[in-house]
Amino acid sequence: MPHVARFAHEDTSDWGFVDGDSVYPARGGTPMPEALADPGLLAEMASSLETDPIDLGAVRLLAPIAQPPQFIGVGLNYRDHAEEAGLDLPESPVTFGFLCSSVVGEGDTIEIPTFTNEVDWEAELGIVIGKPGRDIDEKDALNHVAGYTIVNDVSARDIQMSEGQWGRSKSFDSFKPMGPWITPTDVLGDASGLAISLWVNDELKQSSTTSELVFKVPEIVSRLSQSATLLPGAVISTGTPHGVGFSRNPPEFLANGDTVTIEIEGIGRLSNPVAAQAS
Ligand code: MG
C-alpha cells in the first residue's frame, strides 16, 4: 500500500496517497481518521486511486496528523540511549503526554525561544493508531496500528531537567515535527529491525535500529490500552536511540541555521530547519 499523507496544494489541503513521485487525493470525502480506523476501507481506497495524480514536488506535505486525539511519548525505550543517559532500563514503559499544539510537518521550522539554550534532538518511530481499542491483546495489537511515521521529539533539556515532569519541555510550539507521511502497517509489519538515523546538517548524530527498542510496538500498544481507549489518529512516539546532544562530550544543542534530518528505513525522511529567536 502507498504512504498516507496530508498535503496542501493550490490553496486547499487534503489527504491522500503517495506512491513514488505521485500524490493521489483520497476520493469520496471520507475523513482521514475514519479511513485509518477501518483497515479494509483504507486498503480499498488505496487500490482504487484516481488516474490523474499530482506531482509530489507540487504539494507541501503537512504533518500527517495535525491534532492527534492522543499524543503519547515513551521515554528511555532504547537500550543504547538508557546506557548513554546513565539510567537503568525501566521495568514498564515510561509514558507522558505532549501538547498537540507542538506539531509541525516536513520542512517546517523548529523555533527556539530566548529562554532556553539547550534544545536537543530525538529521532523516534511514531506509531499511528487506526482501529480504536481498549485492553488490546499483544497478539492483536498490530490490527490497531494503521501505520508508522517519523517524530522528532525536540526537547529543551534545561527546562526538562529543572521540572519534575517532561511534558512542557517537549511541547513548545514547533517542537514536534512529524512526517513526512504514514507508512501503513501492511508494509512495515511490527516495524522491527528498521534503521533509524539523524543528522544535524551533514553530521550523523544518531544511528541505530528499532531492534534496540526495549518495549516493542505490540507491547506498547497493549500496555497503553489497558488504561486508555486508544483512538484513531492517536500517535505514540516510541523513544529515541543513543546519540542525543546532551549526552555528548561536550554536550551539543541545536542552533540558529541548523537543519535536522531523520531517516527511518521504509518510511522516508523528515527534515526541519532551526531558527533561534534573537535575544
Ligand atoms: Mg523522546
Side-chain angles (χ1 to χ4, degrees):
M1 196 194 291
H3 306 289
V4 179
R6 285 177 64 248
F7 58 91
H9 180 245
E10 292 178 350
D11 298 332
T12 60
S13 62
D14 201 349
W15 74 276
F17 299 90
V18 178
D19 197 0
D21 289 330
S22 299
V23 181
Y24 299 84
R27 290 196 291 189
T30 307
M32 188 194 198
E34 212 171 284
L36 292 178
D38 182 344
L41 173 63
L42 191 68
E44 189 192 312
M45 292 175 81
S47 66
S48 55
L49 302 173
E50 293 277 4
T51 50
D52 189 19
I54 305 168
D55 191 65
L56 181 59
V59 308
R60 188 167 75 87
L61 291 169
L62 306 172
I65 308 282
Q67 294 283 316
Q70 295 153 314
F71 194 3
I72 303 162
V74 182
L76 295 174
N77 199 28
Y78 278 77
R79 282 179 189 74
D80 50 12
H81 175 57
E83 221 163 85
E84 75 175 348
L87 295 164
D88 292 334
L89 287 178
E91 283 175 17
S92 60
V94 177
T95 62
F96 43 88
F98 301 123
L99 299 181
C100 298
S101 44
S102 58
V103 174
V104 292
E106 158 64 19
D108 290 339
T109 302
I110 298 166
E111 290 168 9
I112 303 179
T114 52
F115 57 87
T116 171
N117 297 311
E118 297 187 358
V119 174
D120 202 350
W121 56 83
E122 293 191 354
E124 305 202 357
L125 171 77
I127 301 169
V128 181
I129 295 296
K131 193 169 84 170
R134 176 85 197 260
D135 289 325
I136 298 166
D137 192 89
E138 267 186 52
K139 290 192 196 72
D140 189 36
L142 293 186
N143 294 324
H144 293 265
V145 176
Y148 302 92
T149 190
I150 301 171
V151 175
N152 191 347
D153 181 13
V154 176
S155 307
R157 299 296 185 199
D158 39 5
I159 307 293
Q160 183 181 359
M161 303 310 174
S162 68
E163 296 184 356
Q165 305 225 343
W166 294 357
R168 191 173 84 93
S169 65
K170 292 169 173 281
S171 292
F172 290 16
D173 283 359
S174 79
F175 271 24
K176 285 293 151 291
M178 184 198 296
W181 41 56
I182 298 163
T183 303
T185 305
D186 70 354
V187 178
L188 291 183
D190 66 358
S192 60
L194 304 179
I196 176 168
S197 311
L198 179 146
W199 294 259
V200 177
N201 305 319
D202 294 332
E203 215 171 302
L204 182 66
K205 299 293 186 186
Q206 293 186 278
S207 178
S208 188
T209 140
T210 55
S211 303
E212 287 281 314
L213 280 170
V214 179
F215 301 101
K216 307 210 182 289
V217 172
E219 191 170 3
I220 292 169
V221 169
S222 175
R223 290 256 199 154
L224 285 168
S225 76
Q226 288 168 13
S227 51
T229 303
L230 297 179
L231 301 171
V235 177
I236 304 164
S237 201
T238 56
T240 201
H242 71 111
V244 297
F246 84 99
S247 297
R248 292 174 168 269
N249 188 15
E252 296 173 23
F253 299 105
L254 294 173
N256 190 50
D258 284 343
T259 297
V260 194
T261 303
I262 301 173
E263 183 172 309
I264 298 182
E265 185 182 358
I267 302 178
R269 281 184 158 223
L270 173 70
S271 194
N272 298 89
V274 177
Q277 260 178 9
S279 49

